[in-house]
Structure formats: C-alpha cells, structure tokens
Amino acid sequence: MAIDLANDIRSWVNPRNKRFWAVFALLAYTLFGFFGVPPLLKQLLPGLVRDNIPAATSVGEIRFNPWTLRLQANDFELTDDDGVKAFGFDEAVVNLQVRSLVEFALVFREVTLRNPEINVVRYEFADTNVGRLIEGMPETPEVETEEEDSGLLRVVIDDLNIENAAVALADEMPDTDFNTRLEPIDIN
C-alpha cells in the first residue's frame, strides 16, 4: 500500500506527466492572480494615467480574485497638476464574467462605486479643472481604413451601483465666488 502511494505521488510530481503541468499552471495562475496582479496594477496605474491625462493618481489597496475575476480598488484619488482633487472614490468593485468570451462583449456582473466625488473648479469664464484635464489628453490620430468598422466593443453591466456620490462645484471667478456640493447621489 505504501509503495502504491509513493508511486502515485511520484507520478503527480513527474515533469514528464501532463498532470504535473496542469497542476503547475493552475497554481501559477492562482498565485499570480492573488499576489502578482495587485502590486502590478498599483505600479502601472500612475504611469498609464499620466500618459493619457495631465494628472497624478494614488490608490490605497488593490485586490484581485483570479477565480471570480473580481477587482477591488480602495482610496483612489486623481489630482490635477495644480494639486486639486478632481475625482476620487473610497471603493470600486468590478466583477468581470467569463461569459464575456461567449458573448463577444465585456460582461460585468457588478460595477460598484462607493463614495465617489467629482470636484469641478471654474477658474475663468471657459476654464475649469476638468477642461484642463481634457485639453491635456493626447490627440488620437485619425486612421483611414478601407475595411468597414465593426463598431465598438459592447459592454453589459448586470448590476450598477453608485453609492453616496458627491459633486462639488467651486466658482473662483473674481466677482462671483460660489461653492456648492450636490450629495448624496445614489444610483442602483
């Protein structure tokens, strides 16, 4: 009995066996998903944002479950070059579904934003912090194609929740100083 058990274990850990590589791939996927993806995203996110808009980002904690394809990010802030917080949230949860492969669309079971905040500051007549962010975005070159455009990738969100959102408006024009805050905004 002990000899059979030892042979069975040796067959599982033998690199010439397909079972070994299946277990190895499963273990590598799990370890990279849980422990590799969060620090990788945390490291790449500021550079990706900086390449596309003139803003700095910070994120507190990122969690990813490779088996449920659930991504959770906490304490996110987007600040413009003047140091003004333009956007932020306490928690974002995005749960991508495997059925996306079958439906040829991005299918999300859940998209949740908790305590998102948008701050709009008007400096002059047609000058806002959001406008400056949009103006700072790189222009996408127009590409002429002879093929017919198949359209955009479809996005399906089964459950969208925005909880306790706030929009802060500040008008800093010389004669019309104005501040207001619209809250709470809940979308389910």
Side-chain angles (χ1 to χ4, degrees):
M1 175 102 177
I3 294 173
D4 291 338
L5 181 62
N7 287 336
D8 193 35
I9 290 173
R10 274 191 222 123
S11 71
W12 275 95
V13 294
N14 184 356
R16 295 181 186 152
N17 194 331
K18 292 179 184 176
R19 287 185 290 190
F20 171 82
W21 291 108
V23 170
F24 178 79
L26 201 63
L27 186 62
Y29 174 77
T30 301
L31 291 175
F32 181 73
F34 281 111
F35 302 111
V37 169
L40 185 66
L41 285 177
K42 196 168 183 175
Q43 181 182 9
L44 292 177
L45 185 65
L48 289 172
V49 170
R50 182 53 96 179
D51 289 346
N52 291 302
I53 57 176
T57 59
S58 66
V59 64
E61 180 183 20
I62 296 177
R63 293 181 183 171
F64 180 68
N65 184 332
W67 296 108
T68 61
L69 299 177
R70 184 176 190 267
L71 178 70
Q72 177 182 347
N74 296 331
D75 302 324
F76 177 84
E77 280 193 8
L78 179 87
T79 55
D80 61 14
D81 287 337
D82 296 331
V84 176
K85 178 181 169 184
F87 176 73
F89 55 78
D90 289 345
E91 181 184 40
V93 176
V94 177
N95 193 340
L96 184 66
Q97 294 294 283
V98 176
R99 75 177 204 237
S100 297
L101 298 173
V102 177
E103 294 188 16
F104 299 108
L106 290 175
V107 180
F108 297 98
R109 188 179 84 201
E110 171 190 13
V111 174
T112 300
L113 277 176
R114 288 189 180 89
N115 302 321
E117 182 177 352
I118 299 173
N119 294 314
V120 179
V121 179
R122 185 173 119 165
Y123 302 111
E124 293 179 8
F125 177 67
D127 184 22
T128 65
N129 63 337
V130 176
R132 289 179 183 178
L133 290 175
I134 292 171
E135 287 174 1
M137 294 174 70
E139 293 185 27
T140 56
E142 292 186 26
V143 179
E144 294 183 28
T145 60
E146 295 179 15
E147 298 177 17
E148 184 177 316
D149 187 16
S150 62
L152 297 173
L153 181 65
R154 292 183 317 128
V155 177
V156 178
I157 300 173
D158 292 338
D159 188 18
L160 173 66
N161 296 305
I162 299 175
E163 301 172 2
N164 200 27
V167 177
L169 303 168
D171 191 349
E172 295 181 355
M173 290 203 42
D175 295 333
T176 58
D177 196 23
F178 174 77
N179 292 305
T180 191
R181 190 170 173 87
L182 306 172
E183 64 179 331
I185 302 170
D186 293 317
I187 299 174
N188 291 320

